Amino acid sequence: MATADPGSTDALSTETNSLGRRIAVEQLKIAFGSLPNSFAAIPILVVVVTLLELTEPPLPVYWVQWSLIAVIVSAVRYYFYRGFKKVKDSPFDYQFWAKRYSFGIMIAGLFWGTTPFVLFRDNSFEHKIFISLLIAGLATGVSYAYSSFLRPARFYMTFSLVPLVVAILLERTAVSYAVASIIGFYYVILMKWLKDNNRFGYEGIKTALEKGDFAEKLASVSEKAEADNRLLRAEVERRRFVEERLEEEQERFKMLTEVAEEGIFLSADGILLDCNEQYAKLLGYDKPEEVKGRRILDAIAPEMRDFVRDVLQKNSDRRYEAVLVRRDGSPRTFEAVGKQITYKGQKVRITSVSDITDRKKMENDLKKAKAAAEEATILKDKFVGLVAHDLRSPFTTILGYLQMLKADETTPLAPSQKEMVERVTQTSHNTLKMVNDLLNISRLQSGKMVLHPRFVSARHLADHALAAHSSHAEKKGVRLEDELPADLLLYGDVPLLQELFNNLASNAIKFCGKGGVVRFHSPSAEEGVVAITDTGIGIEKKMLPDLFRHEVKTSTYGTAEEPGSGFGLPLCGDIVRTHGGSISAESEPGRGSTLTVRLPKVRPSVLIVDDDLQSRSMAAGLLAPLRCEVREAAGGAEAMESIRSSPPHVIISDLQMPEMDGYGLLAELQKDAGLRKIPVILMTGLGVEERTRAFDHGASDFIAKPIDAADLLPRVRRFLGG
């Protein structure tokens, strides 16, 4: 490796490799490390020289100026030193700090070089000799302290000693000439000494770094060897561990397969490699050795082989069912699931097989039994429906004759006879109601009852129900109240909803005593919710879950010993569920009950059909108080498209329109059984004959043009339950 030129600033001028760069960095660190001695020495020497000068006070002004410059030079060098100290232990900009160091050395050299020209004024020769020796001594110290950084040190020697020699020569005496010659000779010797010190320092740093590199390389090689040794030992331990685990897994696999109830086998490329005893027995063999090496598909029923082959080829992990043929030729249905694993270093498929022949037979038997039970239920419902239907006519006749007996004034009944007739009449009414309930239940459960839903006022239903049972309530001293909002609408089959309200009212009155209250109300602002609350005897908590079930008898006698058929509340449940709603009960024994019905919310929709945009807009505006959805169509064809997409609840149509007029729209609606029941209100200004013709075509009502809100709203409300 080439050595640095002692005349260079640092090793970087000749060596650009990593070692040369590191040597230069170390040289700069040593040079900065020597600075504290020099920038501390300057103030001390200034103080010494000043003390000598004080022998002849006062101090001249130039002397004070010189002292201040000395302090500034020291401060600058101290500032550079402090800055370098912060970065020396981390990567730093070498060129930046080398320039700062050189600058500090040069200004120090210039300071001492100019000192003779300042301090030689009016001083004794001995004083001048002392200052000269002082500067020469500083140069000697620099040759030692700054030798690690050669070029700045040379600058210092030159800038400090050459001006000194010139200043001494300017004294022009024999002694000054002799002293100048000595200092000049001494300058040459110091330069040689400085160069040698720099070389010795360079070689020392180089040797130390090379030894350090060698030690690091040796340590690195040793560490790598140790690491490789650790890895080798770890690999040996890992392989030993893997082999032990493999033996354990194989032993565990063997144990598990032997104790498993399912058949388990291993296969590769469709060939059976190994299996447990259960799988061998499933195929009709005694030992696994008898089936090893066979093709898997040989044991599969011919009609199932393509399916099983596809599962094996795709390596599917989904569960599947198939049929195998045992050794004796008997078929067995099995359920299997498989997965690919690594076994003894080979990719194989492990499959678990369960014999489900008995389970499939049981499932088939259950399906047959279920079908038979459903058929029996259908026959039972049909029989009940037929019987109930056939019983209605006789009871209607009986009730008619009983009414005639009570109304016959020609042969009046005795009081005892009237009481008997009244009892028979009441019993017949109860029996007829039970027959009607049975008929409705049968129709609802068999799905034969077709709903004809429309909007109806909940308050209207409640009023009718309470009126129908007012006589019974009056006899018992029960007060009836209807607190339902006038604008609360329900959407459903009106006769069934009326039956629902009647049964709820009858049940509530039945369990109320004298002074009791039965109240229809809406427990929340939610649409489609109606409740009936009574202050009667309440219902036991254990009976609440079964109130609306046919198969559990929950009927009990009322407060006046009224009997119950047990069909009322279950029928209510059927009616509500058929409408897609729900019914629930809350009760506290001794304090009464609340039954709540929740039906699906349905917003009324009205379709306005008219080729005149202004007429449609005006009609839509008039319908705003009804809070219904309003749709529009510009003609009959467009209206039919909208109706088939989403049937409205009411249609308001102009009679005279181009292409398809009002008659054409009515004719299209009549063709569809599901649409012909939609109410149609025709807007027309024609006479009575034309209106009669429209009624014959299926129109529900008329309104004259121009439309008046007072005429339109009542007609629409009639079909929306208002």
Side-chain angles (χ1 to χ4, degrees):
M1 181 183 291
T3 59
D5 182 3
S8 65
T9 301
D10 54 72
L12 283 177
S13 61
T14 57
E15 297 189 47
T16 58
N17 54 52
S18 60
L19 180 59
R21 187 175 298 276
R22 290 163 59 198
I23 291 172
V25 170
E26 292 300 322
Q27 286 177 325
L28 184 59
K29 288 181 179 181
I30 292 172
F32 265 105
S34 302
L35 280 181
N37 295 329
S38 61
F39 60 63
I42 291 178
I44 294 173
L45 292 176
V46 169
V47 172
V48 171
V49 173
T50 302
L51 290 174
L52 292 174
E53 188 65 25
L54 283 174
T55 56
E56 298 178 7
L59 288 173
V61 174
Y62 64 82
W63 194 283
V64 176
Q65 293 173 342
W66 174 81
S67 300
L68 289 175
I69 293 173
V71 173
I72 293 172
V73 170
S74 293
V76 170
R77 297 175 72 192
Y78 178 74
Y79 173 74
F80 290 165
Y81 168 76
R82 292 292 296 175
F84 182 78
K85 188 177 180 181
K86 295 178 181 178
V87 301
K88 68 183 182 67
D89 294 327
S90 59
F92 58 85
D93 187 345
Y94 173 83
Q95 295 295 340
F96 174 78
W97 288 105
K99 289 178 181 179
R100 285 200 164 194
Y101 177 82
S102 300
F103 176 74
I105 292 296
M106 286 189 291
I107 62 173
L110 286 172
F111 169 75
W112 288 111
T114 57
T115 294
F117 296 98
V118 177
L119 301 186
F120 277 12
R121 303 178 188 177
D122 304 326
N123 282 317
S124 63
F125 183 73
E126 294 79 5
H127 197 172
K128 295 177 180 179
I129 291 299
F130 174 77
I131 292 175
S132 300
L133 292 175
L134 187 63
I135 295 173
L138 284 174
T140 303
V142 168
S143 67
Y144 174 76
Y146 301 165
S147 60
S148 63
F149 212 43
L150 186 59
R151 187 171 297 169
R154 284 177 171 174
F155 288 158
Y156 182 91
M157 301 283 286
T158 302
F159 291 166
S160 61
L161 292 181
V162 172
L164 176 62
V165 171
V166 173
I168 294 174
L169 288 175
L170 291 177
E171 294 294 320
R172 294 194 173 107
T173 63
V175 176
S176 66
Y177 293 149
V179 172
S181 299
I182 293 170
I183 293 175
F185 179 70
Y186 186 59
Y187 168 75
V188 175
I189 293 174
L190 285 179
M191 284 295 188
K192 179 65 170 62
W193 189 19
L194 182 63
K195 183 176 181 181
D196 292 341
N197 280 348
N198 177 265
R199 181 178 296 280
F200 292 149
Y202 174 84
E203 292 297 334
I205 295 172
K206 178 180 177 183
T207 301
L209 291 176
E210 287 177 342
K211 287 182 178 180
D213 289 345
F214 178 75
E216 289 180 2
K217 289 180 181 178
L218 184 61
S220 176
V221 171
S222 177
E223 290 177 1
K224 187 175 184 303
E226 180 63 25
D228 291 342
N229 190 29
R230 286 196 299 269
L231 288 175
L232 183 60
R233 289 198 301 269
E235 180 64 20
V236 171
E237 288 295 323
R238 189 188 67 81
R239 291 191 178 185
R240 183 174 63 82
F241 175 76
V242 170
E243 290 174 357
E244 291 176 356
R245 287 295 302 274
L246 183 59
E247 292 178 1
E248 292 176 1
E249 290 294 329
Q250 291 174 351
E251 186 65 27
R252 189 162 69 94
F253 175 75
K254 182 178 180 182
M255 180 183 67
L256 290 175
T257 56
E258 291 302 323
V259 300
E261 295 182 359
E262 296 84 5
I264 299 175
F265 67 86
L266 297 174
S267 62
D269 299 325
I271 304 299
L272 194 146
L273 303 177
D274 199 357
C275 69
N276 63 353
E277 187 173 336
Q278 286 77 0
Y279 183 69
K281 289 182 177 180
L282 179 61
L283 296 179
Y285 296 89
D286 296 326
K287 297 179 180 180
E289 288 75 13
E290 297 181 71
V291 296
K292 290 182 181 179
R294 295 175 179 267
R295 293 177 66 249
I296 301 296
L297 295 178
D298 289 346
I300 304 300
E303 66 274 12
M304 303 292 295
R305 285 177 183 172
D306 290 339
F307 168 71
V308 176
R309 181 186 293 111
D310 184 63
V311 172
L312 296 176
Q313 289 177 349
K314 292 181 178 178
N315 199 28
S316 173
D317 58 356
R318 66 184 179 88
R319 191 175 297 274
Y320 63 94
E321 295 180 5
V323 178
L324 59 80
V325 180
R326 290 167 54 87
R327 185 181 186 181
D328 59 5
S330 60
R332 302 295 291 181
T333 304
F334 69 89
E335 183 181 65
V337 61
K339 185 179 181 181
Q340 190 178 63
I341 63 170
T342 300
Y343 179 71
K344 294 182 179 181
Q346 181 183 2
K347 293 288 186 182
V348 301
R349 180 178 176 84
I350 182 171
T351 304
S352 173
V353 181
S354 301
D355 187 348
I356 60 171
T357 304
D358 295 338
R359 191 186 80 188
K360 296 297 287 187
K361 182 177 182 302
M362 187 181 300
E363 288 177 356
N364 290 332
D365 291 343
L366 286 174
K367 288 179 181 178
K368 292 178 181 178
K370 182 182 177 183
E374 289 176 348
E375 185 177 357
T377 300
I378 292 172
L379 290 174
K380 181 261 296 181
D381 291 338
K382 183 181 293 186
F383 172 76
V384 170
L386 289 173
V387 171
H389 183 271
D390 290 342
L391 286 174
R392 291 178 68 184
S393 295
F395 273 104
T396 302
T397 303
I398 292 171
L399 286 171
Y401 280 119
L402 288 173
Q403 293 294 332
M404 290 171 62
L405 279 175
K406 289 192 294 182
D408 188 0
E409 296 181 356
T410 58
T411 55
L413 297 175
S416 59
Q417 292 174 325
K418 286 184 178 180
E419 184 179 352
M420 285 189 291
V421 170
E422 188 64 37
R423 289 182 180 180
V424 172
T425 301
Q426 185 61 44
T427 302
S428 298
H429 273 298
N430 292 338
T431 305
L432 182 59
K433 183 180 184 307
M434 182 179 68
V435 169
N436 288 330
D437 288 346
L438 279 172
L439 187 58
N440 286 332
I441 290 171
S442 175
R443 289 174 177 175
L444 288 170
Q445 291 188 342
S446 64
K448 291 183 177 179
M449 181 172 285
V450 179
L451 300 183
H452 299 290
R454 65 183 181 88
F455 287 97
V456 62
S457 167
R459 187 166 186 172
H460 176 78
L461 295 174
D463 285 342
H464 273 270
L466 295 178
H469 297 88
S470 60
S471 176
H472 185 203
E474 186 177 351
K475 288 179 181 179
K476 296 187 69 174
V478 177
R479 188 170 76 252
L480 304 180
E481 297 178 357
D482 183 1
E483 297 179 358
L484 290 172
D487 59 350
L488 178 60
L489 299 180
L490 301 179
Y491 186 70
D493 187 280
V494 175
L496 284 181
L497 292 181
Q498 188 64 69
E499 183 71 17
L500 168 68
F501 275 66
N502 288 345
N503 283 344
L504 292 176
S506 173
N507 184 78
I509 295 170
K510 175 181 174 182
F511 293 104
C512 275
K514 186 176 182 180
V517 178
V518 173
R519 177 171 59 97
F520 275 104
H521 61 99
S522 180
S524 66
E526 188 177 358
E527 295 180 7
V529 180
V530 173
I532 183 170
T533 298
D534 65 69
T535 58
I537 59 177
I539 305 169
E540 294 183 22
K541 188 174 182 180
K542 64 180 182 179
M543 295 177 62
L544 291 176
D546 300 322
L547 281 180
F548 309 105
R549 297 174 59 187
H550 292 284
E551 61 272 21
V552 180
K553 180 174 176 57
T554 58
S555 178
T556 58
Y557 285 97
T559 56
E561 297 299 320
E562 301 102 318
S565 66
F567 297 128
L569 292 182
L571 176 59
C572 290
D574 287 343
I575 293 172
V576 173
R577 285 188 291 271
T578 301
H579 283 81
S582 64
I583 185 170
S584 60
E586 297 177 0
S587 183
E588 186 175 344
R591 302 193 65 177
S593 307
T594 296
L595 277 63
T596 304
V597 174
R598 288 178 171 83
L599 296 178
K601 305 173 189 176
V602 179
R603 185 184 178 191
S605 63
V606 177
L607 176 64
I608 301 174
V609 187
D610 198 320
D611 60 320
D612 183 56
L613 176 60
Q614 291 184 351
S615 296
R616 295 200 308 270
S617 300
M618 182 180 65
L622 295 176
L623 293 175
L626 299 182
R627 294 182 298 176
C628 58
E629 177 192 4
V630 178
R631 291 148 49 190
E632 299 181 20
E638 183 182 340
M640 286 306 303
E641 184 177 345
S642 175
I643 293 168
R644 291 192 176 98
S645 174
S646 177
H649 299 111
V650 176
I651 300 172
I652 301 174
S653 175
D654 189 20
L655 187 58
Q656 294 180 335
M657 294 181 293
E659 298 181 4
M660 184 186 292
D661 59 7
Y663 292 122
L665 178 60
L666 288 170
E668 288 295 320
L669 292 173
Q670 293 301 313
K671 293 178 182 178
D672 192 322
L675 302 179
R676 67 176 58 149
K677 293 186 178 295
I678 299 176
V680 179
I681 301 174
L682 289 180
M683 297 183 292
T684 179
L686 301 178
V688 176
E689 293 183 0
E690 197 67 33
R691 294 185 181 187
T692 303
R693 178 188 172 194
F695 273 125
D696 293 340
H697 280 74
S700 304
D701 202 348
F702 284 91
I703 185 170
K705 279 190 172 184
I707 302 173
D708 179 60
D711 189 21
L712 174 65
L713 294 180
R715 297 178 186 275
V716 176
R717 282 197 181 99
R718 183 163 68 91
F719 300 109
L720 294 183

